[in-house]
Amino acid sequence: MLRALLVATLFFGSSRAASGQELSVLHIKVVVVDAERKVTPVPRHALLVSDNPGSAPPRQIVTALDGTANVRLRPGNYTVESDRPVVFHAKAYRWTQMVDIVAGRDAVLELTADNAEVEPATSTTASAAPLEADPSFLLPQWQDSVVALWTPSTHASGFLIDAKGLIATNQRVIGTATSVEVQLSPAVKVAASVLAADPVRDVAVLWIDPRVAASLRSVPLGCAQAAKPPVVDGQKLFTIGVPLREQKDLTSGTVSRVEPHAIVSDFRLASGSAGGPVFTAGGGVVGITSVIDYGDDKNASRRGASRIVRIDDACDVVASAEKKMKDAAPPDGTHLPVEPVRPFPVTALKDAAQRRVGSLSPYQMSMSDFDVAFMTPVLIYGPQYLSEQERGRARRGGPLTPDAAPAVVRPLMDFANWSEYVADVPPVLLIRVTPKLVEGFWTTVARGAARTQGVPLPPFKHVESGFSRMRVFCGDAEVTPIHPFKLEQRVSESDAIYEGLYVFDPGALGPHCGPVKLVLYSEKEPEKGDTRLVDPKVLQQIWQDFAPYREL
């Protein structure tokens, strides 16, 4: 009896020790190489993971769109093998690899053409569709070729079409901009010139430094091909875009109408993603996503319709752009400032908002023709947080309190065409420049005359001059903004007021600069700058607001 009890104790003790072993993560990446020697991730590839010696049925995992998969395993020896071959460009790839997992240490397994069993694809091995015919393959194959575009008023997508640095997009999102910032990755952004912009065909072609584009793969438009991929009603199409402040994504849609110069589909494009390439399931390029002109079709937004510019029209504009390249110098490839990757800690923002109830106004200064407001994430988040607290009290049936955010904050929280960007509370410094409202001399005289007759009239103020541009100096060095945005505030169907909204790195301005100088230019006098020094106390407060971010 004692012997049996001892064996049972040892068995359960060893079982508990085994079950308590620390799990490690096996990071798997599956890639193949195409005809151009470009590394291509393999999405949705099923792998079987089994321990050695086998104690349970194999565990199946599937790679994500970027060809990666992660699996948590106990220490031991494992076999990782393909559930079925991958067929790519008439070759079948199958992997069988063994890997050791050590307690407390992650492991990496790369499955490539070098360690695969490769053979010609046959009816036996090609039981599934070739990788290049799988729509999910489009994103890992072309996502690096799709770029984000920034103009002062819009965010859009575009895609590289030529190793010389040509980028295609649609004209409606570019508008009248003569220069555009092209963001190739979170860390790389450069200036581009607009070579051609055709509002009739709704196509724009941009040009960046070819040396910057050298690492990217060009999306072939097939302009020289007589026969383009056919498009018919009911066909499934796919597009890649770069939504505003989000990751690149693949979107599918169904064709509802085919026209001579456009295709209408039910693509639901995320904000800022128009301008990307449109593919068939087999990878053929058939167009460029655009935006519906609601003046032409007022019900389009409710139906979720999306317009696609046909590739033939794009080819005509590309040909025009290529002619202009011959007599122009390539754009400067200097890297421009980019947004910080790390978000501002929300807990720090909440703490600051609670401490500063009643003092969440932007830091302000006045100039001859403009009012200037400095806004940190604390000042952007504060009114949003306080409003949410009020809504929470209303839902609970509690009494509403007066809005803790000062009245001056509320109008400054309307960011017009960049509202969605600011609502995400990016970890940046915003400088907003608003034209002052003034009353004309004769209007003032007329209002005074009316008052003498017993008719009091309110002031009739108007904007004397709109905002043109701003330069900012940290000491003697000019600071390049991350984004030189403009806000469009409509005052009528035909008139608008333009404000500046410049975005700067959180460490760009502070006490380390010494004097910080702003130089503002108006539309009325675009070459005459109005210069002011920023109050050192304002700089100190801005620096303090970003302290929790710097301490991360």
Side-chain angles (χ1 to χ4, degrees), residues 145-168:
S145 306
V146 180
V147 297
L149 307 179
W150 300 91
T151 75
S153 58
T154 60
H155 175 277
S157 300
F159 56 104
L160 186 73
I161 58 172
D162 192 288
K164 299 184 184 70
L166 293 184
I167 290 173

Side-chain angles (χ1 to χ4, degrees), residues 481-540:
I482 297 174
H483 301 298
F485 289 154
K486 279 191 175 182
L487 304 181
E488 181 181 1
Q489 304 284 6
R490 304 300 303 183
V491 295
S492 68
E493 291 186 2
S494 57
D495 295 323
I497 296 173
Y498 290 96
E499 303 178 67
L501 184 69
Y502 278 44
V503 181
F504 291 91
D505 184 86
L509 304 179
H512 62 281
C513 293
V516 170
K517 179 174 63 178
L518 305 186
V519 185
L520 300 185
Y521 300 84
S522 67
E523 292 178 337
K524 185 178 181 181
E525 296 181 295
E527 301 303 323
K528 181 181 178 182
D530 183 12
T531 303
R532 291 286 191 281
L533 293 177
V534 180
D535 188 339
K537 294 180 180 178
V538 170
L539 294 176
Q540 185 62 45

Side-chain angles (χ1 to χ4, degrees), residues 226-268:
K228 303 295 190 298
V231 179
V232 297
D233 289 357
Q235 183 175 347
K236 205 78 169 176
L237 297 178
F238 304 86
T239 184
I240 301 173
V242 191
L244 180 62
R245 292 185 60 78
E246 294 182 20
Q247 297 295 319
K248 298 174 187 178
D249 198 9
L250 180 71
T251 302
S252 63
T254 302
V255 175
S256 59
R257 189 168 69 251
V258 178
E259 301 173 352
H261 297 283
I263 303 167
V264 180
S265 78
D266 61 356
F267 279 139
R268 293 188 177 273

Side-chain angles (χ1 to χ4, degrees), residues 51-384:
D51 59 345
N52 298 314
S55 62
R59 180 176 173 184
Q60 186 184 73
I61 59 174
V62 179
T63 58
L65 292 179
D66 62 355
T68 64
N70 299 317
V71 56
R72 297 176 67 84
L73 299 170
R74 299 189 186 283
N77 179 263
Y78 292 84
T79 298
V80 180
E81 56 188 328
S82 299
D83 188 26
R84 62 181 63 184
V86 172
V87 178
F88 183 57
H89 292 318
K91 292 182 180 180
Y93 297 80
R94 182 190 291 274
W95 290 272
T96 302
Q97 293 289 308
M98 298 182 71
V99 61
D100 290 319
I101 301 299
V102 180
R105 186 185 305 168
D106 288 358
V108 176
L109 176 61
E110 293 190 1
L111 302 179
T112 69
D114 293 335
N115 57 16
E117 301 172 27
V118 186
E119 59 183 3
T122 64
S123 57
T124 303
T125 57
S127 57
L131 181 61
E132 59 267 29
D134 185 345
S136 64
F137 177 65
L138 293 170
L139 184 61
Q141 185 181 18
W142 297 114
Q143 63 179 345
D144 291 342
S145 306
V146 180
V147 297
L149 307 179
W150 300 91
T151 75
S153 58
T154 60
H155 175 277
S157 300
F159 56 104
L160 186 73
I161 58 172
D162 192 288
K164 299 184 184 70
L166 293 184
I167 290 173
T169 184
N170 76 68
Q171 186 275 332
R172 289 182 180 176
V173 295
I174 296 300
T176 59
T178 56
S179 62
V180 180
E181 293 179 348
V182 176
Q183 188 151 0
L184 291 80
S185 70
V188 179
K189 185 175 67 171
V190 296
S193 58
V194 181
L195 280 179
D198 191 322
V200 176
R201 292 182 173 88
D202 190 18
V203 177
V205 179
L206 316 178
W207 192 17
I208 63 173
D209 187 338
R211 293 171 296 181
V212 177
S215 62
L216 303 182
R217 182 181 181 186
S218 302
V219 178
L221 296 186
C223 294
Q225 298 175 2
K228 303 295 190 298
V231 179
V232 297
D233 289 357
Q235 183 175 347
K236 205 78 169 176
L237 297 178
F238 304 86
T239 184
I240 301 173
V242 191
L244 180 62
R245 292 185 60 78
E246 294 182 20
Q247 297 295 319
K248 298 174 187 178
D249 198 9
L250 180 71
T251 302
S252 63
T254 302
V255 175
S256 59
R257 189 168 69 251
V258 178
E259 301 173 352
H261 297 283
I263 303 167
V264 180
S265 78
D266 61 356
F267 279 139
R268 293 188 177 273
L269 300 177
S271 175
S273 61
V278 179
F279 303 92
T280 63
V285 182
V286 296
I288 302 172
T289 54
S290 183
V291 290
I292 289 285
D293 186 344
Y294 295 144
D296 298 335
D297 189 348
K298 298 185 182 300
N299 296 319
S301 60
R302 289 195 294 271
R303 294 198 307 268
S306 179
R307 183 175 179 273
I308 301 168
V309 179
R310 301 199 66 161
I311 205 65
D312 288 336
D313 284 342
C315 288
D316 291 341
V317 182
V318 170
S320 174
E322 289 175 335
K323 293 179 181 178
K324 295 180 180 179
M325 288 177 63
K326 298 176 182 178
D327 300 322
D332 184 3
T334 301
H335 288 194
L336 301 174
V338 296
E339 295 169 312
V341 175
R342 292 183 295 113
F344 205 108
V346 176
T347 53
L349 293 175
K350 286 183 179 180
D351 291 343
Q354 291 170 342
R355 290 195 309 269
R356 296 173 58 173
V357 168
S359 60
L360 287 168
S361 300
Y363 314 124
Q364 299 183 69
M365 61 183 288
S366 182
M367 303 184 74
S368 299
D369 297 321
F370 302 98
D371 290 318
V372 180
F374 300 84
M375 289 174 276
T376 65
V378 171
L379 304 179
I380 297 296
Y381 180 82
Q384 297 180 17

